[in-house]
Amino acid sequence: MGVPTDYFRAPDADAVRRVLERTEGWSPLSGRQAAFDGVRSKGLDPHVVLGKLVAAVREVPWEVDLVGETPVRPPGPEPAAGTMVDDDDPRATGPWVAELGDAARDTLAGVADGDVPAVAARWARAEELHGADGEDLQPVVGLLVGLARRARADGESLYCWTCL
């Protein structure tokens, strides 16, 4: 069982914060009526696993910060390096939301429908996806590509909600 990682599009970080405040931090995709258009997933963290999808699309090696995440929740400045946070601090307990860089959104949005199988096959080589094959991953690649296309078309950003 993987960590819930819900991807969604929104007009801006303030709109995301308002929804998170209203839902007490629950995923904007939870409940009867999702607050935003999105894709529910598990274990597809934005930093590594989604980063490896972006790398697979670009056909480049994965590197740190390929997705260009900006924290949205918890709000406020990050603690200084090496500083411990309290056990009840939202930075330790989550949930967490990150805004993904527009370059990552545009990379995903640029995948042609006919290229989804090849991209999924390259992505399946990521060690974090051990046991998956390209055919298994095609549906999620297609969903993420579609979400990115809609976000780009509407001038919105992509976000990832994660909770332990």
Side-chain angles (χ1 to χ4, degrees), residues 17-28 30 73 94-97 161-163:
R17 286 186 197 99
R18 285 191 299 274
V19 167
L20 292 171
E21 192 172 300
R22 188 177 74 236
T23 65
E24 298 178 354
W26 286 97
S27 170
S30 295
R73 179 188 164 98
W96 303 272
V97 176
W161 175 92
T162 305
C163 187

Side-chain angles (χ1 to χ4, degrees), residues 85-141:
V85 295
D86 294 331
D87 288 345
D88 62 345
D89 186 302
R91 283 170 185 70
T93 62
W96 303 272
V97 176
E99 181 176 347
L100 310 182
D102 287 345
R105 177 203 62 196
D106 294 347
T107 294
L108 294 173
V111 174
D113 291 336
D115 292 338
V116 168
V119 167
R122 286 193 300 272
W123 190 33
R125 295 184 206 133
E127 79 178 73
E128 294 79 7
L129 297 171
H130 178 73
D133 66 23
E135 194 171 312
D136 295 335
L137 297 173
Q138 284 181 37
V140 73
V141 171

Side-chain angles (χ1 to χ4, degrees), residues 19-124:
V19 167
L20 292 171
E21 192 172 300
R22 188 177 74 236
T23 65
E24 298 178 354
W26 286 97
S27 170
L29 303 183
S30 295
R32 289 190 181 134
Q33 188 170 359
F36 299 114
D37 174 22
V39 175
R40 301 205 75 177
S41 67
K42 289 189 176 192
L44 301 181
D45 76 277
H47 185 69
V48 177
V49 181
L50 187 76
K52 290 196 175 184
L53 173 58
V54 171
V57 172
R58 294 179 184 166
E59 297 188 65
V60 300
W62 174 83
E63 59 184 53
V64 173
D65 205 31
L66 192 60
V67 173
E69 300 165 71
T70 303
V72 172
R73 179 188 164 98
E78 291 293 315
T83 303
M84 298 295 293
V85 295
D86 294 331
D87 288 345
D88 62 345
D89 186 302
R91 283 170 185 70
T93 62
W96 303 272
V97 176
E99 181 176 347
L100 310 182
D102 287 345
R105 177 203 62 196
D106 294 347
T107 294
L108 294 173
V111 174
D113 291 336
D115 292 338
V116 168
V119 167
R122 286 193 300 272
W123 190 33

